[in-house]
Amino acid sequence: MKLQQLFEKDNRVPHPFGERTSDIEDVMDEFWDIEGDLCDKLFPSSKYPDMAPSDKMRQTTLYMIKQGSAMDVKISDLNHIEPDVDPVTVSHYQQNPSDKLPVVYKFNGKLYINDGNHRVVAAHNNGDQTVKVTVVDLNAIRV
């Protein structure tokens, strides 16, 4: 299979966990606001004038993950952000589980898969009821 085929939108199928929560757009806006505010505090332009915005966000994300806690959570308690998944990627993770923990944002008492959607779906498809993730509580994150 060509690499390009792996990334074509046509390969994606609707998310097997069903529709996203009705408030997902508002929640995602909140995520971006929190990440952006944190990025501005960690890497102010006056102090880091030559740092690329993408590098600032990457470092902010790493900072947030370090603030998180590894824990087992019920897959049924997770809300997904992505509306669809790539079955080839899910199949890959079903056959080759990753040591990299999915990153879940906790926000207003709910858990949202921020990174690792395909890994969580693969675990679910393999019959797992729980998955080990890094939970980042956005309501408690501090600089």
Side-chain angles (χ1 to χ4, degrees), residues 53-93:
S54 59
D55 291 337
K56 289 180 181 182
M57 281 309 298
R58 188 176 310 108
Q59 292 301 317
T60 299
T61 301
L62 292 173
Y63 174 85
M64 292 171 68
I65 292 169
K66 288 178 184 175
Q67 300 292 311
S69 302
M71 61 181 68
D72 289 319
V73 298
K74 290 174 26 179
I75 292 174
S76 61
D77 289 343
L78 296 173
N79 294 285
H80 60 92
I81 293 173
E82 293 185 36
D84 48 33
V85 295
D86 176 14
V88 174
T89 304
V90 171
S91 177
H92 168 79
Y93 284 124

